[in-house]
Amino acid sequence: MTRPLKGSVHQTFSYGTPQHINKHGSGRAKKPSAATSTTAAPAGLSKSERSLLSLLATLYASTLSDLKWPAHVQDLKAALYNKDVEKAFGGEDDLFRRVYAARWAAGHALVYRKIFVDMGLREMLKEGGDIVVLGGGSGAEVLALGSLLSTPSSTTLPVRITTYDILDWSSILKSQIAALSAAHATLNLTLDAHTHDILSLPLPSFPATTALITLILTAAECFSQSRPATVAMLAHLSSTCPEGTQLLVVESASLALVPVGEKTYPMETLVDHALGKSWEVVKKEENQWYRLEDHSDCYQIKLENSKLFLRLYEKVL
């Protein structure tokens, strides 16, 4: 994420901050404190998770095997650390977008898939429906959803994913959908990708068949960029989403306390206040570790664990 670039509107996306990516380090998560953290029980990667990583290993094979891969990763880390998003992703060349997807979106996809399984998303979509992804340009949510819906027990009815991001990731997203569809013949998944700032007008619209809206690794930066615009966007969700829609807010645990002006607020306080009484909390997690089991046999690089804050809401009014 970054401050608004000169002449642009709010930069509402999450591609790495000092809390997410170390300039010269591996980005590996620190060990959790037993007093403040909980850990998702390790059970080894499932067949579906291995299948997803194998698919990504093939999709990004040329990127991962590039002799300049280490240099590309360090250059991208440096740009993200310095919040120079224009340098990282502003060009027409997809190189750094592919590097980011291979290096970080792959691990995020496994974590999000675990979250989607735990919240029963496969059952929610048994009749098909719509998923709206706010600020999910690099495709981790798309990959997680595609993997989840490619299992034998999943629906074969159409599911549409609509994404909103201020940068144009459409070529990356389309290649991911194409790879998922080629690997899973029964997958009935379509993509509608929008290059649009979610804090600017017109605000996103939500079909009557919307089952889930995701706001993952995006909410903290939205609040830091503009609290009024973020409150307006969340209030828009309350006034336009159909009853029964679920809203998933996930943030790095290190960003769960959000500075707004000279004060700091808990993330849930800001979100709850903005959403009003139209939503109820279905699930919540504080400082939850999501650990990735050994994947060296199906992916060329080591992917990081994630320590997350999570709130799952359901529209009730």
Side-chain angles (χ1 to χ4, degrees), residues 12-15 100 105 112 132-143 161-167 169-170 172-173 176 191 193-194 196 198 214-218:
T12 50
F13 43 79
S14 181
Y15 303 126
Y100 187 90
Y112 303 166
V132 179
V133 177
L134 302 178
S138 62
E141 293 93 334
V142 170
L143 292 167
I161 302 176
T162 303
T163 66
Y164 292 88
D165 196 279
I166 199 168
L167 294 177
W169 286 80
S170 58
I172 298 295
L173 296 172
Q176 293 169 349
L191 173 71
H194 296 266
H196 181 69
I198 62 173
T214 67
L215 191 66
I216 300 180
L217 302 187
T218 300

Side-chain angles (χ1 to χ4, degrees), residues 54-69:
S54 295
L55 180 148
L56 293 175
T58 300
L59 180 61
Y60 297 119
S62 61
T63 302
L64 291 163
S65 62
D66 190 334
L67 293 178
K68 294 184 179 180
W69 165 262

Side-chain angles (χ1 to χ4, degrees), residues 60-276:
Y60 297 119
S62 61
T63 302
L64 291 163
S65 62
D66 190 334
L67 293 178
K68 294 184 179 180
W69 165 262
H72 291 327
V73 171
Q74 290 303 327
D75 289 345
L76 181 54
K77 284 182 179 180
L80 294 173
Y81 184 87
N82 293 322
K83 299 189 177 182
D84 188 348
V85 179
E86 191 66 28
K87 180 179 179 180
F89 303 119
E92 295 182 1
D93 189 345
D94 273 344
L95 173 61
F96 276 179
R97 294 183 181 92
R98 292 196 305 272
V99 170
Y100 187 90
R103 179 63 182 83
W104 286 286
H108 290 166
L110 287 184
V111 171
Y112 303 166
R113 191 185 191 282
K114 291 177 184 291
I115 292 173
F116 294 153
V117 168
D118 290 345
M119 61 182 280
L121 184 57
R122 187 187 292 115
E123 290 72 27
M124 288 170 54
L125 293 171
K126 63 183 179 180
E127 301 298 329
D130 281 87
I131 306 291
V132 179
V133 177
L134 302 178
S138 62
E141 293 93 334
V142 170
L143 292 167
L145 288 163
S147 172
L148 184 70
L149 296 175
S150 64
T151 55
S153 59
S154 298
T155 182
T156 57
L157 296 174
V159 173
R160 179 175 59 181
I161 302 176
T162 303
T163 66
Y164 292 88
D165 196 279
I166 199 168
L167 294 177
D168 184 3
W169 286 80
S170 58
S171 61
I172 298 295
L173 296 172
K174 289 175 182 177
S175 68
Q176 293 169 349
I177 289 286
L180 287 164
S181 299
H184 306 287
T186 62
L187 182 63
N188 194 350
L189 190 65
T190 59
L191 173 71
D192 188 6
H194 296 266
T195 303
H196 181 69
D197 180 2
I198 62 173
L199 295 187
S200 68
L201 298 174
L203 294 172
S205 60
F206 307 99
T209 52
T210 300
L212 174 68
I213 301 167
T214 67
L215 191 66
I216 300 180
L217 302 187
T218 300
E221 183 64 13
C222 287
F223 278 113
S224 68
Q225 293 291 337
S226 173
R227 182 182 179 185
T230 305
V231 169
M233 184 269 290
L234 292 172
H236 173 71
L237 297 186
S238 295
S239 63
T240 59
C241 289
E243 186 176 337
T245 299
Q246 294 199 345
L247 170 65
L248 177 65
V249 179
V250 177
E251 191 54 82
S252 169
S254 64
L255 299 178
L257 291 175
V258 183
V260 179
E262 298 180 355
K263 297 183 179 181
T264 300
Y265 297 89
M267 173 69 72
E268 66 269 24
T269 299
L270 294 173
V271 175
D272 289 351
H273 175 74
L275 289 176

